[in-house]
Amino acid sequence: NAGVMQNPRHLVRRRGQEARLRCSPMKGHSHVYWYRQLPEEGLKFMVYLQKENIIDESGMPKERFSAEFPKEGPSILRIQQVVRGDSAAYFCASSPSRAGSGYTFGSGTRLTVV
Amino acid sequence: DQQVKQNSPSLSVQEGRISILNCDYTNSMFDYFLWYKKYPAEGPTFLISISSIKDKNEDGRFTVFLNKSAKHLSLHIVPSQPGDSAVYFCAASGINNDMRFGAGTRLTVKP
């Protein structure tokens, strides 16, 4: 009974490269959420997706960031042309339906931009 | 926009005493409130929740109180144990199903 799986756990990218973060939700969960935690800060909402649909992307930076949750396969958070300020822990969560049931979080991907 | 606020970045209590973590929110459309606990290098884990139709929910040593008129909720842990030491996040959600988190409070329980 695997939980939310995120990979890689750690990702190092040079400035200007692309970062791809993957998230496989729990079995039976069709709602996926991405959050970013900057050093010494809380969890910042980025985007909420259901299968093949972006429901709310109000927390996504306007440029370089995109997310998808295809019909098959994991959800992908993509950061193009990374900069040092993108260094953070990125957490994915999933839920079966209403958020009131509680999200299940993955262990996160720690992105370091050098 | 900081819709969920945890104004105390840290809290230190003695083992066996009560820990009280506070949270304020600004969006009156939120109808579900949750607390998450996070250890270093791990994802947050769900702790306890409360619906806006209630003012109290209890689960073992953990109790969440909701004051809708004040847009305030709190988490009480009693008795506190050293294993409770972690960062606690308050979260709130509304009909659009996504959740907003506070900045977190680092709780340290001293033996």
Side-chain angles (χ1 to χ4, degrees), chain A residues 37 40-44, chain B residues 2-11 20-26 34-38 47 71-75 86-92 100-107:
Chain A
Q37 185 179 24
E40 305 303 322
E41 293 189 16
L43 292 163
K44 299 288 189 185
Chain B
Q2 195 73 7
Q3 298 185 55
V4 179
K5 298 179 182 180
Q6 293 175 257
N7 292 318
S8 297
S10 62
L11 173 68
I20 300 177
L21 295 92
N22 293 301
C23 177
D24 298 291
Y25 62 96
T26 58
L34 307 92
W35 285 93
Y36 282 79
K37 180 178 178 180
K38 185 180 182 302
L47 193 58
K71 294 192 177 68
H72 177 83
L73 65 155
S74 61
L75 174 67
V87 177
Y88 289 78
F89 290 100
C90 168
R100 297 293 185 269
F101 284 79
T105 296
R106 182 178 301 278
L107 173 66

Side-chain angles (χ1 to χ4, degrees), chain A residues 3-114:
Chain A
V4 177
M5 303 301 292
Q6 286 189 251
N7 65 83
R9 282 298 303 271
H10 300 275
L11 181 62
V12 179
R13 284 288 178 266
R14 294 185 185 278
R15 280 178 294 171
Q17 290 185 319
E18 178 180 286
R20 279 185 177 240
L21 289 67
R22 288 177 290 277
C23 169
S24 295
M26 279 190 72
K27 188 176 181 181
H29 287 193
S30 58
H31 300 242
V32 166
Y33 316 82
W34 285 93
Y35 289 82
R36 175 165 67 173
Q37 185 179 24
L38 294 168
E40 305 303 322
E41 293 189 16
L43 292 163
K44 299 288 189 185
F45 169 78
M46 299 183 75
V47 63
Y48 161 36
L49 310 107
Q50 293 182 26
K51 285 283 187 181
E52 299 184 278
N53 284 308
I54 297 175
I55 307 302
D56 181 355
E57 57 181 346
S58 58
M60 288 280 271
K62 294 286 184 268
E63 298 177 348
R64 302 187 297 108
F65 285 71
S66 62
E68 62 176 5
F69 188 17
K71 187 176 181 181
E72 302 291 338
S75 175
I76 305 288
L77 179 66
R78 182 182 177 206
I79 311 171
Q80 294 178 292
Q81 299 175 329
V82 295
V83 300
R84 288 242 169 91
D86 297 332
S87 296
Y90 292 82
F91 291 97
C92 168
S94 71
S95 71
S97 57
R98 278 300 313 274
S101 59
Y103 293 178
T104 301
F105 277 86
S107 296
T109 293
R110 184 163 299 279
L111 171 66
T112 302
V113 180
V114 297

Side-chain angles (χ1 to χ4, degrees), chain B residues 33-86:
Chain B
F33 304 90
L34 307 92
W35 285 93
Y36 282 79
K37 180 178 178 180
K38 185 180 182 302
Y39 292 116
E42 294 183 11
T45 54
F46 171 73
L47 193 58
I48 192 169
S49 65
I50 188 168
S51 162
S52 60
I53 62 173
K54 294 186 175 181
D55 56 18
K56 177 183 175 181
N57 187 25
E58 191 173 351
D59 183 2
R61 296 185 297 114
F62 302 91
T63 303
V64 55
F65 295 92
L66 176 63
N67 183 335
K68 281 183 63 179
S69 61
K71 294 192 177 68
H72 177 83
L73 65 155
S74 61
L75 174 67
H76 292 209
I77 307 173
V78 55
S80 302
Q81 299 173 354
D84 296 330
S85 297

